[in-house]
Amino acid sequence: MASASPSPAHKPRRKAKKTAHFESAIHAKPEALIRTPSFPLAAFLWPARSSLSQWEVLPLILMIVGLFRWAAGLWGYSGFKKPPIFGDYEAQRHWMEITTHLPISQWYFHDLQWWGLDYPPLTAYHSWLLGKVGSLIDPSWFALYASRGSDDPNLKIFMRATVIVSEYLIYIPAAVIFVRRYSRLFGVAQWTASVALVAILMQPATILIDHVHFQYNTVMLGFVLASMSSMVAGRYMWASIFFVAALGFKQMALYYAPAVFAFLLGSCTFPRVNIGRLTGIAAVTLASFAVLVLPIVLGALYDANRGIDSRPDLDGPWPPLPILAFLTDYLDTGAFYYPVVEQMVQMVYRIFPFARGLFEDKVANFWCAANVVIKLKQYPTELLQRVSLLATLASIAPPCLLVFLQPRKELLPYAFSATAWGFFLFSYQVHEKSALLPLLPMTLLLAGNQGLGKEVRSWVGFANLVGVWTMFPLLQRVDLRVPYTVLTLLWAYLLGLPPVSTSAYFEQGQNIWVQWMTAIVHAAFYVAMGFWHILDLFVTPPPDKPDLWVVANVGVGAAGFALCYLWCLWKLAQESGVFQQRPKVKTA
């Protein structure tokens, strides 16, 4: 019997083709189709649009950003041939020296006048590990006392390599995973996410500070990224562990702490109270802090048992504690627990230097800018501390409240950046390099909804270019003008930003008045920054005002950062739905 012929109106269903979108983004509204690249970085990665897997493009990205990092490291570093105290490079090398040669109970006490250890324990453990590896190569690099101020070129290669290896083990994997997860929330195409990833990894300020000036900020930032990525994935206990690790590496991670607390508490409260989740987060956080300080505690007890004094340079009775000195009257200095108390108090004292004053150097925040008009150092330190605390709380309360009431994952970069900007502008003892903290989450917006669109790209670009510009006086002191110029202009060119291009402004479908206002304000800042460079290069400041150009840098930078804070706060409120009108309920 002949089989039935198919109906002429029936057409067999075609198999769906694989697209460049992430698999889990099918429920999200996909981004608009991009037919031509709108800025150079997109043009460079344009051939990768047809790639079906991120693993075809990711190795190329990692090789390129690694090449730029290594090339930047060929320049000098902080304190190069600048005795007597040298700079941050010597500080990091010195910590490797003392952690590998001294008992653990002496780490936070040893010769505090020569780059005494003033970072949390995870930095000390990291320095110990790197020092042990370096000593296997050349013990003279970290010889106690004899290696101070060493400018051995082989040591420089080793130190530069440790920054890159640390970054590729922590920061870059965390950035890749965060971009992948965050872009999924909005249905962002894989190719677009790859473009955003390159822009994030090529941030000029991060490369200049860590790979040229020299530090390990990206280790802390990597743990923060891992924490944010875990929040996006709904793994709140892992988020807590990673954030404790960030705090344990650098105390600057406290800039994010209020936003982390607000988001995690909000996730335990809305839409319904989840006591189990709250208890789990609290327990994991406490356990993480306990593990973090455990080597210090055990080392203090072990050294005390062996008769090793934490302060062998002092004779006589135990000196009073540097802070909370009143506890000495209530504690038995001969008890077994006293070395632990002494270690914990000394560590806190070193990590939080309240005695140094409101600010040490000229940094583009509110207090340093206000000091031009009102000499703040004439006021008591206690008063300045209280005012700084109140101003900081006032600036971080709105973003924290919003992310607590609306603990949505897509709001995380806005909340983190607004909170960090508040800390940078108003908190105590801010450094130029602290601008890296608000810049990171703000730059992560490139991986989100319309992140490479003109509004977000123009504001992210503005924040990064103002940020790296405010670091120029710091970089100039150690003759790093060339890498500053090359990396800054390169990033501006890749993203189509001023002064190289104006393609990041005026987008169809957006409010024309807002766009004009944004373009005019940004243009005013870019012109001021360019004019400042001309003055700094060709005009000598008056003899009675030798810091005139640096003070001008502070004023312009603080105003620019204040605008970035307001924009992040506005976008956070806008995206959280605060301004949406609720439908009116009809009454009989």
Side-chain angles (χ1 to χ4, degrees):
M1 183 173 66
S3 60
S5 61
S7 167
H10 172 74
K11 291 183 179 179
R13 180 180 297 172
R14 292 181 180 179
K15 272 190 174 181
K17 292 183 180 179
K18 288 184 179 179
T19 67
H21 294 271
F22 290 105
E23 294 83 350
S24 65
I26 55 174
H27 63 280
K29 183 179 178 180
E31 60 182 10
L33 178 65
I34 301 175
R35 297 188 181 278
T36 56
S38 54
F39 51 94
L41 181 57
F44 287 141
L45 291 175
W46 195 249
R49 286 173 303 134
S50 58
S51 172
L52 300 179
S53 170
Q54 66 170 340
W55 302 109
E56 296 176 6
V57 182
L58 186 59
L60 177 63
I61 293 174
L62 298 187
M63 285 189 289
I64 291 174
V65 299
L67 178 63
F68 274 100
R69 280 158 167 74
W70 189 257
L74 296 176
W75 286 88
Y77 48 79
S78 170
F80 179 60
K81 293 186 180 297
K82 291 186 181 296
I85 200 67
F86 302 95
D88 284 340
Y89 175 91
E90 169 61 18
Q92 302 291 338
R93 189 214 60 79
H94 178 62
W95 295 345
M96 298 176 196
E97 169 193 338
I98 63 175
T99 54
T100 52
H101 286 90
L102 298 178
I104 195 169
S105 62
Q106 297 179 7
W107 287 0
Y108 283 98
F109 291 92
H110 178 74
D111 196 359
L112 301 183
Q113 299 304 312
W114 185 274
W115 297 112
L117 182 60
D118 57 2
Y119 278 4
L122 198 54
T123 286
Y125 309 150
H126 179 255
S127 299
W128 175 83
L129 177 62
L130 298 182
K132 286 294 185 182
V133 174
S135 296
L136 294 175
I137 301 172
D138 189 340
S140 67
W141 290 345
F142 307 109
L144 193 61
Y145 300 113
S147 61
R148 289 186 175 184
S150 173
D151 56 4
D152 186 337
N154 291 327
L155 172 61
K156 176 187 173 182
I157 294 173
F158 171 77
M159 297 289 280
R160 294 295 195 199
T162 61
V163 178
I164 291 181
V165 170
S166 299
E167 188 167 313
Y168 269 73
L169 288 176
I170 298 173
Y171 177 74
I172 288 182
V176 171
I177 295 171
F178 176 85
V179 168
R180 185 169 182 265
R181 287 175 175 171
Y182 190 66
S183 59
R184 281 178 169 180
L185 295 177
F186 306 99
V188 173
Q190 180 180 293
W191 172 80
T192 308
S194 297
V195 174
L197 178 64
V198 176
I200 293 166
L201 296 182
M202 287 294 291
Q203 260 187 295
T206 304
I207 297 177
L208 285 167
I209 294 300
D210 273 25
H211 297 275
V212 184
H213 189 270
F214 199 87
Q215 276 200 341
Y216 295 95
N217 292 291
T218 48
V219 176
M220 178 267 293
L221 294 174
F223 284 128
V224 172
L225 275 173
S227 180
M228 294 178 70
S229 181
S230 298
M231 293 178 197
V232 172
R235 299 170 181 171
Y236 301 121
M237 293 185 188
W238 276 109
S240 303
I241 293 172
F242 286 128
F243 190 69
V244 169
L247 288 172
F249 196 84
K250 280 200 172 187
Q251 59 270 39
M252 288 193 304
L254 282 170
Y255 281 33
Y256 304 122
V260 172
F261 176 79
F263 178 83
L264 292 178
L265 184 61
S267 69
C268 297
T269 308
F270 303 103
R272 64 183 62 87
V273 176
N274 190 329
I275 298 297
R277 177 184 294 172
L278 179 62
T279 305
I281 291 174
V284 165
T285 301
L286 292 174
S288 300
F289 275 113
V291 171
L292 178 68
V293 300
L294 184 61
I296 299 289
V297 172
L298 295 178
L301 293 173
Y302 179 68
D303 289 345
N305 186 57
R306 292 194 301 163
I308 297 176
D309 192 351
S310 61
R311 305 178 69 175
D313 54 318
L314 298 180
D315 294 325
W318 290 87
L321 298 173
I323 55 175
L324 305 175
F326 67 91
L327 290 177
T328 308
D329 299 332
Y330 301 95
L331 299 175
D332 180 7
T333 56
F336 77 93
Y337 60 79
Y338 191 78
V340 176
V341 174
E342 183 191 42
Q343 284 291 327
M344 295 297 104
V345 172
Q346 178 71 5
M347 184 172 65
V348 172
Y349 172 71
R350 293 295 300 159
I351 292 172
F352 300 103
F354 289 111
R356 295 183 187 176
L358 189 60
F359 56 87
E360 283 185 282
D361 212 342
K362 292 178 174 60
V363 56
N365 76 342
F366 174 80
W367 303 118
C368 197
N371 191 63
V372 177
V373 181
I374 306 171
K375 297 305 176 183
L376 297 173
K377 293 189 177 181
Q378 65 181 325
Y379 296 102
T381 301
E382 295 77 10
L383 175 62
L384 295 176
Q385 288 176 352
R386 292 192 184 99
V387 174
S388 172
L389 176 62
L390 290 175
T392 304
L393 291 175
S395 66
I396 68 175
C400 290
L401 181 61
L402 287 170
V403 80
F404 167 71
L405 297 175
Q406 296 286 338
R408 303 203 324 255
K409 300 166 184 177
E410 60 269 24
L411 301 180
L412 283 171
Y414 290 112
F416 273 57
S417 53
T419 305
W421 279 127
F423 265 97
F424 182 86
L425 288 168
F426 298 107
S427 66
Y428 204 81
Q429 267 294 309
V430 173
H431 195 280
E432 301 102 315
K433 292 171 283 191
S434 302
L436 294 175
L437 281 89
L439 288 178
L440 172 66
M442 197 168 175
T443 309
L444 296 177
L445 293 170
L446 295 173
N449 185 31
Q450 297 299 317
L452 297 179
K454 296 191 175 183
E455 181 192 10
V456 174
R457 182 157 51 94
S458 63
W459 275 100
V460 169
F462 174 76
N464 275 277
L465 293 177
V466 172
V468 73
W469 177 73
T470 61
M471 296 176 189
F472 179 77
L474 173 71
L475 300 169
Q476 181 181 229
R477 289 200 293 267
V478 287
D479 303 321
L480 298 177
R481 299 176 188 86
V482 173
Y484 160 84
T485 303
V486 171
L487 290 170
T488 302
L489 292 180
L490 173 65
W491 198 77
Y493 165 74
L494 290 175
L495 290 179
L497 298 167
V500 181
S501 171
T502 58
S503 66
Y505 296 90
F506 299 107
E507 189 171 19
Q508 291 183 352
Q510 302 292 329
N511 187 309
I512 189 63
W513 295 107
V514 173
Q515 293 190 77
W516 268 108
M517 184 62 68
T518 300
I520 291 171
V521 170
H522 286 190
F525 275 89
Y526 287 128
V527 170
M529 290 155 60
F531 185 63
W532 181 90
H533 273 302
I534 294 173
L535 290 175
D536 180 70
L537 189 60
F538 296 108
V539 181
T540 303
D544 59 332
K545 295 181 175 63
D547 295 330
L548 180 61
W549 305 144
V550 179
V551 170
N553 182 288
V554 166
V556 174
F561 291 154
L563 285 177
C564 293
Y565 164 76
L566 293 174
W567 181 81
C568 290
L569 183 59
W570 169 262
K571 293 296 291 184
L572 174 61
Q574 194 177 52
E575 296 295 327
S576 67
V578 168
F579 302 127
Q580 291 180 359
Q581 293 183 351
R582 296 182 180 180
K584 295 182 178 179
V585 180
K586 292 184 178 181
T587 58

